[in-house]
Amino acid sequence: MKYVSYWHDTAPAFAGAMQGPVDGHYDVAVIGGGFTGLGAAWQLAKAGAKVVVLEAERVGWGASGRNGGHLNNGLAHSYLAAKAELGKERAIALYKALDDSIDTLEALIAEEGIDCNFRRAGKLKLASKPQHFEALARNFEAVHAEVDADTDLLSAKDLKGEVGAPFFGAMLSKKSAMMHMGRYVAGLADAASRHGATIFEHAAVTEHRQAGSRHQLKTARGSVTADAVLVATGAYTPSTFGYFRRRIIAVGSFIIASRPLTAAEVEATLPGNRTCVTSMNIGNYFRLSPDNRLIFGGRARFSASSDQRSDAKSGAILKASLAAIFPQLANVEIDYCWGGLVDMTKDRYPRAGYQDGVWYAMGYSGHGAQLSTHLGMIIADAILDRPDRNPLKGLDWPAVPGHFGKPWFLPLVGMYYKMLDRIQ
């Protein structure tokens, strides 16, 4: 078994990073070389801006290369809950932003010729309990009538041709997609570089100073100055940016990937070949890879991915969950096991805008793969003084009480959600 991300291990590495010292003055400095930062850099460079990307590790090293490979439209919450919390207008705007984000990815991939196995697959939100199906049905009725007609409600009988596991029905979101995350992020970095963006890897920002309209960003490899800064670091935000650290909760998420399944195993497990998410609070998500591995993830433990031993513990939990859902794969070999951090907000809504002299987009709360490129481009347009398309503008973002960077309270949160899953 390899304790590395399948996406990292099966994609070409980005070869266009700049060598030598980090220096120079730029119109815009982007901190973070994931989907958000690279999407913004691509948009800025195409517009003729002089832009630099400062990545602490390598392109796609963080959440952009450690996720489950889903591009799901719809919200992290039920649409009904979002309407109740945010009002109908904001809920619809956020829902449509997720729809638009997948359109953006599809268009960008086609424009730049990125070979990343993008496919409109559809997403199944699977009801793990009968009462969960009732809730899904209520949510479906509102979504289908008010915001997304490309949805359907499937009964347990309908699922027999979709998933080889006993669920009680599902909501199908037909616009959802999937892709190879490693190939996409490398292709996006190549595209941004071709359009003129300067990308430095292994250039973690250790200090940020602002004097008037000019920013200075220091790294171990040197420093740059810029007229504008975009912080696109999510759960990996450095302590330099304390405002965001007090509002982002870094939660560990873990994933395993099986050996390639046979045609018979695919037919018995995921014949519908869609992205799938279960309805439990501490649930699982899964899909097939381009080479027919089952990629199976979840919040195995409420801790961070810290080393191979930690990931192995989480991998064992996930394999047990996989066997419980798909007993026909109980003994399947696991080829990959990895973990990463999810940038959660307290209310699980993302945030983007301008604060303390810098631009930002983060807090995707497990739905970043689809939204991040799109939101990065929207913030890039704001920097360029183009029309404001930010669906999150003006959304209040209070700090998490008692939180200053390390989420000491996560085990308590985990206990709470486990209790809910037992009783709900």
Side-chain angles (χ1 to χ4, degrees), residues 140-404:
F140 161 76
E141 289 175 3
V143 168
H144 192 77
E146 298 178 12
V147 69
D148 187 358
D150 288 331
T151 50
D152 205 351
L153 191 66
L154 306 184
S155 67
K157 184 178 179 180
D158 295 330
L159 285 179
K160 292 185 183 298
E162 295 283 355
V163 182
F167 289 97
F168 294 90
M171 177 173 164
L172 171 61
S173 300
K174 299 177 185 178
K175 294 174 185 171
S176 296
M178 59 172 71
M179 68 181 176
H180 190 297
M181 299 297 177
R183 293 175 191 161
Y184 170 71
V185 76
L188 180 58
D190 282 335
S193 182
R194 281 197 305 273
H195 288 292
T198 298
I199 301 174
F200 287 102
E201 296 182 316
H202 305 292
V205 172
T206 56
E207 186 178 331
H208 167 238
R209 292 182 179 178
Q210 184 175 2
S213 62
R214 178 162 291 200
H215 300 259
Q216 183 182 50
L217 297 167
K218 289 188 177 181
T219 77
R221 295 177 54 189
S223 62
V224 297
T225 57
D227 298 326
V229 169
L230 168 59
V231 181
T233 44
Y236 299 86
T237 299
S239 58
T240 308
F241 298 96
Y243 175 89
F244 306 112
R245 291 266 295 207
R246 292 191 296 274
R247 289 160 173 80
I248 290 292
I249 306 164
V251 179
S253 192
F254 301 88
I255 304 172
I256 54 177
S258 73
R259 62 156 168 77
L261 303 182
T262 66
E265 287 170 331
V266 168
E267 184 62 26
T269 304
L270 279 181
N273 199 5
R274 303 185 191 274
T275 62
C276 297
V277 182
T278 68
S279 61
M280 304 294 281
N281 288 298
I282 304 178
N284 296 104
Y285 48 88
F286 41 91
R287 56 158 287 192
L288 294 173
S289 69
D291 55 353
N292 281 339
R293 302 172 189 273
L294 182 64
I295 298 179
F296 187 94
R299 206 81 65 240
R301 296 186 303 142
F302 276 74
S303 62
S305 170
S306 56
D307 54 35
Q308 181 173 317
R309 181 180 299 180
S310 169
D311 286 357
K313 290 179 181 178
S314 298
I317 294 170
L318 286 176
K319 187 170 184 184
S321 297
L322 186 158
I325 295 175
F326 299 112
Q328 65 269 36
L329 296 181
N331 296 315
V332 72
E333 296 89 345
I334 303 300
D335 283 354
Y336 292 92
C337 175
W338 71 95
L341 297 177
V342 176
D343 51 333
M344 301 288 288
T345 59
K346 185 180 178 182
D347 59 11
R348 295 188 302 140
Y349 294 109
R351 296 300 195 282
Y354 185 80
Q355 179 68 41
D356 292 349
V358 299
W359 297 90
Y360 67 92
M362 60 181 72
Y364 298 113
S365 302
H367 281 59
Q370 57 272 51
L371 184 59
S372 48
T373 302
H374 182 66
L375 204 52
M377 292 167 62
I378 285 174
I379 296 301
D381 283 344
I383 294 171
L384 293 166
D385 288 326
R386 291 175 172 173
D388 187 356
R389 300 183 291 131
N390 182 5
L392 299 157
K393 187 175 182 179
L395 185 59
D396 189 34
W397 194 9
V400 178
H403 176 48
F404 297 96

Side-chain angles (χ1 to χ4, degrees), residues 123-151:
K123 177 194 79 171
L124 291 172
K125 180 66 177 285
L126 297 161
S128 299
K129 297 181 180 181
Q131 60 269 37
H132 292 185
F133 181 70
E134 294 170 8
L136 282 177
R138 289 192 299 272
N139 189 61
F140 161 76
E141 289 175 3
V143 168
H144 192 77
E146 298 178 12
V147 69
D148 187 358
D150 288 331
T151 50

